Amino acid sequence: SLTFDALIEAEKTARLLAVLLDSGRAVINENQPLFDSPATSTKGFTPEVFERQLVEVFRSRSGLDLNDLAAARLSAKTARLLRTLVSVSKQVVAEAQSQINRPDVTFSGFIPAVFGARAAAQFTKQTGVRLKQTALTPRNPVNAPDPFEQAALRDFADPAYPREKTITEITARSGALRLMFPLYATRHCLDCHGEPKGEIDKTGYPKEGLQLGHNAGAISVVIPVKK
């Protein structure tokens, strides 16, 4: 049977991976004005600049220093997975350079959801730990929630739900731990997802009418647990 320690470890790892992916999304979010400024064709947002900002955001949210994971008393597997997500995230930024530095456009298209989807797909392929962004009404049908994700998203949508409280489930049959980590609308999110509801945003989608701090979906993690 699954040991209690293995489950606790898996839950901690899943949560840290969700926080790290969301920290990367936050960095992309904060740099939107830079990406969407037509004045400069070289934005200077290199993978190294991204990593420096990612380290700061993740440290402020998790208390862990990505540059010194040895000091964090994490398992070797957890540390390895976090390092892999950092390198995959940097790779996504490297591959997006031509998109980020496109001259004469007021919308680069390199937004948190795009970054998150690319990083999650690469990470899942490399590690077998599944990361996915999802929402009750996702813009990308690939991100449609399954029944477990739907139930968690409905809980997250309740304004009384405690902020950043995760929902986990163990599927003993498949020997996996599932974790849902709630996401919240920030200032820049509202440019596309805010009011007025139904108005077409700059990506060509109707706005969802979200308000600052509202739940804006979740990161779903499925992590195999060793028996």
Side-chain angles (χ1 to χ4, degrees):
S1 67
L2 300 174
T3 68
F4 183 67
D5 287 351
L7 291 177
I8 294 294
E9 182 65 38
E11 184 168 2
K12 180 179 179 179
T13 304
R15 185 188 167 86
L16 286 172
L17 288 170
V19 171
L20 183 54
L21 183 64
D22 192 38
S23 297
R25 287 165 42 96
V27 170
I28 301 304
N29 196 14
E30 279 306 303
N31 284 278
Q32 287 301 291
L34 173 69
F35 302 160
D36 297 346
S37 128
T40 50
S41 59
T42 312
K43 310 286 167 59
F45 189 78
T46 61
E48 292 69 37
V49 168
F50 165 78
E51 184 178 22
R52 272 204 304 278
Q53 295 184 18
L54 177 68
V55 167
E56 280 309 306
V57 174
F58 186 71
R59 185 193 285 125
S60 75
R61 293 183 62 179
S62 71
L64 299 181
D65 184 353
L66 288 166
N67 293 325
D68 188 14
L69 287 177
R73 296 208 297 274
L74 298 171
S75 74
K77 181 187 174 186
T78 303
R80 188 177 70 247
L81 287 170
L82 289 171
R83 287 194 190 100
T84 302
L85 185 51
V86 170
S87 77
V88 159
S89 299
K90 284 176 69 181
Q91 190 187 330
V92 168
V93 172
E95 288 165 0
Q97 287 300 301
S98 62
Q99 196 176 358
I100 290 169
N101 294 315
R102 263 164 53 191
D104 306 326
V105 293
T106 54
F107 177 59
S108 72
F110 192 57
I111 55 176
V114 168
F115 161 81
R118 291 176 187 173
Q122 289 288 346
F123 180 80
T124 301
K125 203 160 74 180
Q126 283 189 30
T127 64
V129 173
R130 201 195 74 186
L131 288 181
K132 170 188 171 187
Q133 302 171 130
T134 187
L136 283 172
T137 51
R139 292 183 169 195
N140 183 343
V142 172
N143 298 332
D146 65 22
F148 167 70
E149 291 166 340
Q150 248 174 355
L153 286 163
R154 280 198 289 270
D155 285 350
F156 293 160
D158 179 349
Y161 190 83
R163 201 173 167 85
E164 291 210 354
K165 185 179 191 297
T166 56
I167 290 176
T168 52
E169 170 187 86
I170 315 301
T171 49
R173 203 176 62 243
S174 61
L177 178 131
R178 304 197 63 182
L179 177 136
M180 288 283 282
F181 180 84
L183 300 174
Y184 302 93
T186 66
R187 214 163 23 95
H188 292 310
C189 302
L190 298 181
D191 294 345
C192 292
H193 298 280
E195 304 273 8
K197 187 174 180 174
E199 180 181 276
I200 300 301
D201 71 11
K202 57 191 173 187
T203 69
Y205 282 93
K207 292 184 176 184
E208 287 88 350
L210 291 182
Q211 289 171 359
L212 198 62
H214 271 187
N215 176 251
I219 291 170
S220 173
V221 188
V222 182
I223 191 163
V225 183
K226 281 204 288 288
K227 289 214 170 50

